[in-house]
Amino acid sequence: MPALPSLSLVPLQMPRTGTLVVLAGADAATAASLPEAVRSHVARAGSAYKFKGKSLAVMDLLAPEGIGPDRILVIGLDADKPLAEEDWLKLGGAVAGRVKGAGAVTVWLDRAAGSVGAAEAAWFAQGLQMRSYSFDAYKSVKSEDESDAQADSVSLALADPEAARGHLATAAAVADGVALARDLVNEPANVLGPVEFADRLTELSKQGVEVEVLTEAEMRALGMNALLGVAQGSPRPPRLVVMRWNGAEGDAAPVAFIGKGVVFDTGGVSIKPAAGMEDMKGDMGGAAAVSGLMLALAGRKAKVNAIGIVGLVENAVDGNAQRPGDIVKAMSGTTIEVNNTDAEGRLVLADALWYCQDRFKPRFMINLATLTGAIIVALGNHHAGLFSNDDELSERLAAAGRVTGEKVWRMPLGPEYDKLIEGKFADIKNVGAGRAAGSITAAQFLQRFVNTVAWAHLDIAGTAMGSPANEYNQSWGSGFGVRLLDRLVTDHYETR
Ligand code: BES
Ligand code: MN
Ligand code: ZN
């Protein structure tokens, strides 16, 4: 990772040099706190260049002599409509994209329409931090704006900088979680196998996360044969990692997050076609999101007890690999006909979900998985599929999605769909009939391993990786899910 810009909070005072970033509303109206020389210069440029202050529109100006900074970057605010959390992320991201390599940057966080509060400043900073992420460890020659030769320093100038300090630290902890999730998804599978993934998570103990790693032998003793069947075609052994963040006072029942961690999905004997198979290094996007979330919760000292569990396997193919038609007995006792070895994620999650609910009796379980290509057919790259047995949890997730921009869309479950996975030789089979309702039958399969606990499944195949770049994400691995679930916890599950 190249050096991220260093962020500091300062009062509203004109810098003596560098780049000044100014927020502008309709007709380039700027904050009254700015020196008159700056305001009139921006207003004049606005009318000369027909700058209307539309959202994220930019004017990059040479500053008039004698005012301090050399450059004034004006960015539009769309002042008429109230700015929501994601708007501030986009603003921060757009600014970061424009000032890379600029050196000293001062962002004047004040506007004609009223001052900028602590939470808003923190969202802006989070967008800036997320946009500054890049994954270029394997590039021998770095592109100029990715070079870390000149680390930028960004000062956020605010009417009340002290009030924003705590918010900024919280937002930065969450952005760190997003960066971890992105790193894990972007990392190639030759570097990041199940053992290496588990080793990286062991590092989270430095942040106060308790980390426990189950080996193959331990999983065998627990009867996790669904997960182990997937792993058996790879020389690289599987791992199950249990992370615990105990931030609540007392021993309240934990909230639990479970992630699919297939470090590479060849499809197994039901092998995938070659085209695009390289993307399957990202088939651990669910596990990455859970890992990033745990880092975020610990980093911001969330007042919650949280469990993160990731099932780490490689779905490879060798002479020992699982065959179509094989029957395995999951930890729950359910027998499964593995009719398609490429429907492996649900086998991994079956044992991880059962283990989680059995051992921790959580308040709810939310699993994340790059589970089906079918969810991309249904929802594209802009919503994750949400499947749940609980209306309240679903509503809360949908609301968290709307504010963070990590949107989810609820899909149905039901007995008609459950019937499609009835087994011929065993209790259930791991694929439905044909391509119909592929994401739903996958969710029905997972639900077979959930008893009465509130549960939600997020199918993030379309959102965890390869989704279109935006103002605050230019990375292939998006880190989807970290901010969504952090927001869910913040809004509903922390003790005050
Ligand atoms: N990891 C894939 C799903 C996937 C596809 C994720 C594209 C991201 C992008 C999953 O293991 C899989 O192969 N699912 C199959 C299920 C089928 C065999 C029932 C699929 O979607 O084709
Ligand atoms: Mn697969
Ligand atoms: Zn997969």
Side-chain angles (χ1 to χ4, degrees):
M1 241 201 284
L4 290 174
S6 76
L7 275 181
S8 56
L9 286 163
V10 299
L12 289 170
Q13 263 168 24
M14 277 298 277
R16 271 194 276 272
T17 176
T19 297
L20 175 70
V21 178
V22 168
L23 310 177
D27 299 322
T30 52
S33 56
L34 280 164
E36 190 44 43
V38 172
R39 300 187 75 195
S40 56
H41 187 71
V42 170
R44 189 164 155 250
S47 70
Y49 297 138
K50 310 266 180 291
F51 176 88
K52 300 277 178 246
K54 283 221 300 260
S55 181
L56 304 174
V58 162
M59 278 198 300
D60 206 340
L61 308 174
L62 181 69
E65 223 160 325
I67 65 158
D70 301 313
R71 175 186 173 198
I72 302 178
L73 184 76
V74 184
I75 185 152
L77 265 185
D78 232 346
D80 300 339
K81 86 178 205 297
L83 299 184
E85 175 168 339
E86 201 198 3
D87 298 317
W88 287 102
L89 296 179
K90 287 181 179 168
L91 267 174
V95 167
R98 286 285 183 151
V99 301
K100 254 187 203 157
V105 177
T106 302
V107 185
W108 199 267
L109 284 180
D110 194 9
R111 51 188 169 165
S115 69
V116 174
E120 295 162 325
W123 292 327
F124 180 93
Q126 192 178 63
L128 198 139
Q129 200 178 331
M130 286 197 290
R131 173 63 177 264
S132 306
Y133 172 91
S134 69
F135 184 79
D136 60 0
Y138 301 103
K139 292 262 196 198
S140 324
V141 182
K142 319 256 189 245
S143 70
E144 212 173 287
D145 64 18
E146 280 171 27
S147 117
D148 47 12
Q150 187 187 20
D152 298 315
S153 78
V154 179
S155 303
L156 303 181
L158 274 169
D160 189 353
E162 280 321 306
R165 210 163 289 283
H167 283 83
L168 207 73
T170 296
V174 176
D176 286 344
V178 173
L180 172 63
R182 288 178 180 174
D183 272 348
L184 291 167
V185 172
N186 288 330
E187 200 69 77
N190 60 325
V191 173
L192 194 74
V195 171
E196 293 80 10
F197 197 132
D199 286 348
R200 291 214 190 176
L201 298 188
T202 308
E203 300 274 299
L204 297 184
S205 58
K206 288 184 200 141
Q207 269 78 32
V209 180
E210 283 173 34
V211 186
E212 195 183 330
V213 180
L214 273 63
T215 62
E216 188 173 0
E218 290 166 309
M219 287 188 266
R220 198 166 301 287
L222 286 162
M224 295 187 169
N225 300 309
L227 183 154
L228 291 171
V230 177
Q232 80 189 28
S234 170
R236 302 204 278 180
R239 292 288 184 264
L240 190 95
V241 180
V242 179
M243 294 165 272
R244 307 178 70 166
W245 166 251
N246 297 315
E249 288 147 34
D251 53 1
V255 295
F257 304 95
I258 299 97
K260 168 182 174 181
V262 176
V263 296
F264 195 82
D265 182 12
T266 65
V269 170
S270 314
I271 200 161
K272 286 184 180 295
M277 204 206 276
E278 66 274 17
D279 286 355
M280 287 300 112
K281 72 172 185 176
D283 208 16
M284 26 54 69
V290 170
S291 306
L293 174 67
M294 295 308 287
L295 177 60
L297 294 176
R300 69 174 182 80
K301 306 247 178 299
K303 291 188 179 354
V304 68
N305 293 335
I307 307 283
I309 295 183
V310 296
L312 303 170
V313 302
E314 178 170 37
N315 189 23
V317 51
D318 68 9
N320 191 45
Q322 167 161 262
R323 291 147 294 259
D326 282 5
I327 295 176
V328 294
K329 186 180 210 163
M331 183 185 173
S332 70
T334 302
T335 56
I336 305 163
E337 250 173 273
V338 181
N339 288 347
N340 190 321
T341 64
D342 196 12
E344 84 297 341
R346 61 198 77 179
L347 297 168
V348 172
L349 288 171
D351 283 333
L353 284 165
W354 187 263
Y355 176 78
C356 178
Q357 116 198 311
D358 196 49
R359 176 170 170 198
F360 296 108
K361 312 281 184 283
R363 202 159 154 196
F364 66 66
M365 295 199 288
I366 297 177
N367 73 259
L368 300 99
T370 48
L371 204 62
T372 65
I375 203 69
I376 309 175
V377 176
L379 299 175
N381 304 112
H382 299 291
H383 284 84
L386 160 64
F387 300 82
S388 179
N389 62 4
D390 191 281
D391 292 343
E392 184 183 62
L393 184 58
S394 295
E395 248 325 299
R396 289 175 171 183
L397 277 164
R402 286 188 292 267
V403 289
T404 57
E406 295 194 329
K407 298 192 286 288
V408 301
W409 195 260
R410 193 166 182 187
M411 303 280 286
L413 290 165
E416 314 86 331
Y417 297 108
D418 191 62
K419 246 173 116 161
L420 302 175
I421 57 164
E422 282 299 328
K424 184 152 97 183
F425 299 103
D427 299 337
I428 54 174
K429 54 184 182 176
N430 76 330
V431 280
R435 299 192 310 156
S439 300
I440 308 178
T441 50
Q444 292 293 160
F445 184 96
L446 298 182
Q447 196 176 14
R448 290 284 190 131
F449 301 89
V450 175
N451 49 32
T452 54
V453 65
W455 158 78
H457 152 52
L458 298 173
D459 193 335
I460 59 172
T463 52
M465 61 226 189
S467 43
N470 63 23
E471 285 82 359
Y472 52 82
N473 178 43
Q474 308 266 314
S475 161
W476 182 74
S478 64
F480 183 97
V482 175
R483 290 185 301 111
L484 171 74
L485 297 175
D486 179 75
R487 191 22 107 89
L488 177 81
V489 170
T490 300
D491 285 351
H492 301 288
Y493 299 98
E494 291 194 57
T495 53
R496 312 266 152 202

